[in-house]
Amino acid sequence: MPLHRQISAYFISKISSGAWPPGMRLIPQRELCRQLGVNRSTVVTALGQLAALGLIEGSRGGGTRVAASSRAGASGPDAAARSTGAAGQLGGNWNDYVEEGIHYPNLPAVQAINRLEYEAGLIRLGTGEPAPGLLPGESMRQVLLELAQNPLPPLSYEEPLGSLILRRAVSQELSKNGIEADPSSILITSGALQGLQLIALGLLPRGSTVLLEKPSYLYSIHAFQSAGVKFSGLPMDKDGLLPDQLAAAAIRSKAAMLYTIPSFHNPTGILMDAGRRDALMDIAGGLGLPILEDGAYQDLWLDDRPPNPLKARDREGRVLHLGTLSKAASPGLRIGWIVGPEPVVRRLADIKMQTDYGASSLSQLAAARWLEGGYHEQHLVLLRGKLRQRRDFMLQLLDIHFAGLASWNIPAGGFYIWLSLNGTLSLRRLFKAALQAGVLLNTGDLYDRSDSRHLRLSFAYASEDEMDHGIAALANIINNQMT
């Protein structure tokens, strides 16, 4: 069967089955060509056949959508009644429901990255997770074998705060970084991201303002915005957030909370020094401003151990601390935690029980054994060595290919190098050009909407061969676009 007929047949099957409902926007032709590996004339021919059948149509806002009466066999007055009738104000069109939900969709670029990260053959230079080869597969297999050799506890729901065994193990782990937290002050979450969502929903009134570093990881997700919370960005220097800017910003915006990543900040990789942390705690304390500390990268130091977290300096119960196993041990295990005052974690636990009735009991059992058995500490030693080697290799490549094109930091831990281009350009255009060359990027505008000159480069995922090819290709693209 000719390629254009294969494509149109595939589209017809999706539309006729209801998988692609009326009003759904199709991906752009250029992206469709890339995904299918065909030229544009083939796609245009296929789409033309679908348009002639009345299955797709151009939309006023641009692009192409599935037609309102596009289901196979749908025609005449009955089809019209189905498309405009009994579903009330939304008209029975699933696309209307999709667009009216209260939770904001991801940014289009983030949606594209989330989808493209699973395509074979792309060099992932921005991915914020360890490469599969850095994950402790053999050690985790040993953990599961140990669990299988003993009677399993009942695989029922855990208590609202999470497995007591795991919370005790997390408490011991936190003490290594100076945080003294009783298990009753710890809530187990399905990853740190769920912790952010629970805090946004459970602690902050709609219309309130959160202060945060700019750029920041929080700008790339919509956990807080979907809850009606606004952001106010604070400037940074090489040592992190500037405390002397905090008081004026908090008073001006009537801020409800400060969010910060003091250790190996995402996306810049900046490490806040001990003096800056003390100053931040003093000023926030004087303002009565609660702090949400994201400690996702705290243990991923590559040179010297970082200062203790803000939570270790907290004597008033003013800091909520987020932690996770996703960045070091296993993203797929989906285990994180929130540490804070007992009334706060109980409130968040109540919301969690309303949403998912607790993290997986099997995952919690494995995580407890992982921590109690000393596997985590052993793995961190190996992981830091491998990440250090990857960081140094990427820095060498940047010296070779980006001298005169950009400047960059030398991160003391975490996953990221914050690349600052010497000139401005369209980051969207750069993203598309890099994708055409087989390189997937995280551009700076994901973390600061006004950014036009930064890239978050990750040395945690791509192999050395991929880094070698990807950095060279990226430099060539940027050279062409800046001239």
Side-chain angles (χ1 to χ4, degrees):
M1 185 185 294
L3 282 175
H4 69 271
R5 289 183 60 194
Q6 293 182 45
I7 294 169
S8 61
Y10 173 73
F11 275 43
I12 289 170
S13 70
K14 288 288 190 180
I15 293 169
S16 63
S17 69
W20 290 1
M24 191 192 95
R25 186 188 294 271
L26 303 184
I27 62 174
Q29 290 184 13
R30 186 184 300 276
E31 175 63 13
L32 188 58
C33 294
R34 192 195 65 79
Q35 287 190 16
L36 298 177
V38 299
N39 60 44
R40 193 163 187 176
S41 63
T42 301
V43 168
V44 169
T45 301
L47 296 179
Q49 291 178 338
L50 296 168
L53 292 170
L55 297 177
I56 62 173
E57 58 191 6
S59 63
R60 285 177 296 177
T64 303
R65 293 181 181 268
V66 177
S69 57
S70 59
R71 288 192 61 189
S75 61
D78 289 343
R82 282 194 297 272
S83 67
T84 60
Q89 292 182 343
L90 293 176
N93 185 331
W94 276 117
N95 191 65
D96 292 335
Y97 290 89
V98 168
E99 294 180 353
E100 292 298 325
I102 62 172
H103 199 290
Y104 293 0
N106 265 324
L107 297 170
V110 174
Q111 292 185 41
I113 291 168
N114 289 341
R115 182 182 72 251
L116 292 165
E117 284 187 330
Y118 296 94
E119 284 198 14
L122 286 178
I123 298 174
R124 294 162 57 173
L125 285 184
T127 296
E129 66 178 271
L134 296 181
L135 297 177
E138 182 57 34
S139 296
M140 194 61 72
R141 188 181 74 86
Q142 183 61 37
V143 165
L144 297 176
L145 282 173
E146 290 178 13
L147 292 176
Q149 289 168 359
N150 296 289
L152 285 176
L155 296 180
S156 53
Y157 295 123
E158 296 287 356
E159 59 181 287
L161 291 178
S163 160
L164 178 57
I165 296 173
L166 176 55
R167 286 186 285 121
R168 285 171 174 163
V170 169
S171 175
Q172 287 295 314
E173 195 66 26
L174 290 168
S175 68
K176 298 175 184 177
N177 286 317
I179 298 175
E180 299 301 326
D182 189 87
S184 59
S185 296
I186 299 171
L187 168 65
I188 302 301
T189 61
S190 299
L193 179 57
Q194 187 187 46
L196 293 172
Q197 293 168 329
L198 293 174
I199 290 165
L201 289 170
L203 301 182
L204 297 170
R206 294 188 69 84
S208 59
T209 297
V210 168
L211 301 177
L212 73 171
E213 294 111 341
K214 193 172 185 179
S216 175
Y217 159 73
L218 273 198
Y219 284 104
S220 69
I221 61 172
H222 283 150
F224 284 81
Q225 296 95 321
S226 296
V229 175
K230 297 176 291 186
F231 289 156
S232 180
L234 296 171
M236 305 172 69
D237 64 12
K238 64 180 180 61
D239 295 316
L241 188 151
L242 296 168
D244 58 1
Q245 304 279 328
L246 178 59
I251 294 169
R252 182 175 61 251
S253 64
K254 299 180 180 178
M257 184 177 287
L258 167 68
Y259 170 84
T260 181
I261 310 175
S263 293
F264 318 121
H265 176 263
N266 181 8
T268 66
I270 289 171
L271 174 64
M272 188 184 294
D273 64 27
R276 186 71 57 92
R277 295 180 192 222
D278 289 337
L280 188 63
M281 289 294 292
D282 288 344
I283 295 171
L287 293 167
L289 183 67
I291 298 175
L292 173 54
E293 176 185 33
D294 191 333
Y297 302 92
Q298 174 74 29
D299 289 329
L300 297 179
W301 44 274
L302 305 181
D303 296 326
D304 298 319
R305 191 183 189 99
N308 279 344
L310 301 178
K311 185 62 181 174
R313 295 164 158 77
D314 182 22
R315 297 295 176 265
E316 299 177 342
R318 197 173 295 284
V319 179
L320 296 180
H321 179 85
L322 289 177
T324 181
L325 290 180
S326 294
K327 299 302 180 183
S330 172
L333 203 59
R334 306 310 304 137
I335 292 294
W337 49 85
I338 301 171
V339 183
E342 291 185 18
V344 176
V345 297
R346 285 200 299 268
R347 163 66 171 154
L348 299 177
D350 177 62
I351 300 173
K352 180 171 171 59
M353 292 297 282
Q354 295 179 54
T355 56
D356 68 1
Y357 229 74
S360 161
S361 55
L362 278 173
S363 287
Q364 293 187 72
L365 193 63
R369 181 62 194 145
W370 173 257
L371 294 173
E372 287 179 332
Y375 291 100
H376 189 59
E377 192 59 45
Q378 294 172 19
H379 171 64
L380 282 173
V381 172
L382 296 174
L383 179 62
R384 290 182 193 119
K386 293 176 181 178
L387 286 174
R388 187 180 303 113
Q389 179 179 339
R390 285 165 164 266
R391 176 201 63 181
D392 294 346
F393 183 74
M394 181 172 276
L395 290 171
Q396 291 173 16
L397 293 174
L398 292 175
D399 284 335
I400 294 169
H401 297 288
F402 274 84
L405 271 183
S407 58
W408 53 90
N409 65 325
I410 301 176
F415 292 165
Y416 310 118
I417 295 172
W418 190 234
L419 190 76
S420 179
L421 301 175
N422 289 345
T424 61
L425 47 71
S426 167
L427 294 181
R428 292 299 91 211
R429 185 168 158 236
L430 175 60
F431 178 88
K432 293 176 181 177
L435 189 59
Q436 288 292 320
V439 178
L440 186 59
L441 297 176
N442 281 47
T443 51
D445 53 346
L446 300 180
Y447 313 103
D448 175 358
R449 300 290 183 272
S450 63
D451 193 1
S452 60
R453 52 180 301 210
H454 289 98
L455 300 175
R456 187 188 82 174
L457 297 180
S458 169
F459 48 84
Y461 196 87
S463 67
E464 290 193 354
D465 285 344
E466 289 174 329
M467 286 187 210
D468 195 355
H469 177 79
I471 293 293
L474 180 60
N476 184 55
I477 293 168
I478 292 173
N479 250 321
N480 292 335
Q481 291 195 2
M482 293 183 80
T483 54

